[in-house]
Amino acid sequence: MRIAVRRIGSARLEIATVTEIVPWVAVPGPLGEEAAALSGEETALLGWEGGTPLPARPLGSDETARLAVLVAEASALAGQLAGLLPWRLVGLRPTLAGGLVIEVTTASVDERSEREAELARLLGRPIALVSVGEGALTGSTGRPAVPIDLEEAAMKRLLAGAPARPGGFPRIGTPVRSPHGSGVVWSVRTRDRTVLVRVGGETVRVPLADLVTDEPGS
């Protein structure tokens, strides 16, 4: 059967073929497999023009548990991208193998290839640049409309992409209340059960037991 999926951190909905309906699947990408979340039946992607659907497999429980870590790593890398891209940032897609696929507004293949090598050297991991263009942001359910702040939207999409972690930890990007004020989850540390929370312009480490969140299952 065919379903609409969104890769973690992507601006686009895509069609994937699955044998069963599951919340998370792995789909191929330029740097290997990426995690994608179920967005609905094929009809959720209005105006899809065809093409070959992505092959997909269910994501294993161990892979699902790692997603929050991959999202946190991608978020940290995003901070290092400032001033390094001549195009507007559209999406940030962490791969299951630890690479980072960066969606940007329209750019030529030659331009992207040259910049990929530079970014891979600076960031110390495989990097792929994918040109999606602003046209990819409109026309389908679940896609943001333009004009918007593409960089801010890309970060919000990335931080909202990881599922809740096992052990009662809230997912990355979850709004929480802490003794230091209200903020969002920036990262988690399982060894001492603490959470790094962004409160205003600062980050503070808070024991998990001291956090309050209304997110179900966290």
Side-chain angles (χ1 to χ4, degrees), residues 48-59:
W48 187 61
E49 297 178 353
T52 304
L54 297 167
R57 65 170 178 84
L59 213 60

Side-chain angles (χ1 to χ4, degrees), residues 59-200:
L59 213 60
S61 58
D62 57 334
E63 293 172 315
T64 303
R66 288 180 50 234
L67 294 184
V69 174
L70 294 177
V71 168
E73 292 176 349
S75 175
L77 291 174
Q80 301 176 49
L81 289 174
L84 298 180
L85 295 175
W87 317 283
R88 294 192 69 187
L89 179 64
V90 177
L92 291 163
R93 294 160 30 192
T95 75
L96 294 178
L100 183 65
V101 179
I102 304 171
E103 294 179 342
V104 296
T105 51
T106 304
S108 72
V109 174
D110 290 341
E111 287 178 312
R112 298 199 312 269
S113 297
E114 181 178 348
R115 196 56 60 102
E116 281 174 349
E118 177 186 351
L119 290 174
R121 184 177 67 255
L122 290 173
L123 300 181
R125 68 184 60 212
I127 298 293
L129 289 165
V130 176
S131 179
V132 299
E134 292 191 355
L137 304 180
T138 60
S140 296
T141 302
R143 293 179 178 173
V146 290
I148 57 173
D149 186 325
L150 297 182
E151 288 79 7
E152 181 181 354
M155 282 302 301
K156 287 182 178 179
R157 194 178 304 111
L158 171 67
L159 294 176
R165 295 193 57 156
F169 287 96
R171 65 179 182 173
I172 307 299
T174 299
V176 292
R177 286 168 281 158
S178 78
H180 305 276
S182 297
V184 296
V185 174
W186 203 249
S187 67
V188 301
R189 195 162 67 191
T190 57
R191 66 176 180 271
D192 60 359
R193 296 187 65 76
T194 61
V195 177
L196 194 63
V197 179
R198 187 77 172 178
V199 179

Side-chain angles (χ1 to χ4, degrees), residues 8-32:
I8 284 184
S10 178
R12 297 175 293 172
L13 288 174
E14 298 175 86
I15 295 294
T17 301
V18 297
T19 56
E20 59 179 319
I21 298 295
V22 291
W24 290 94
V25 296
V27 296
L31 296 178

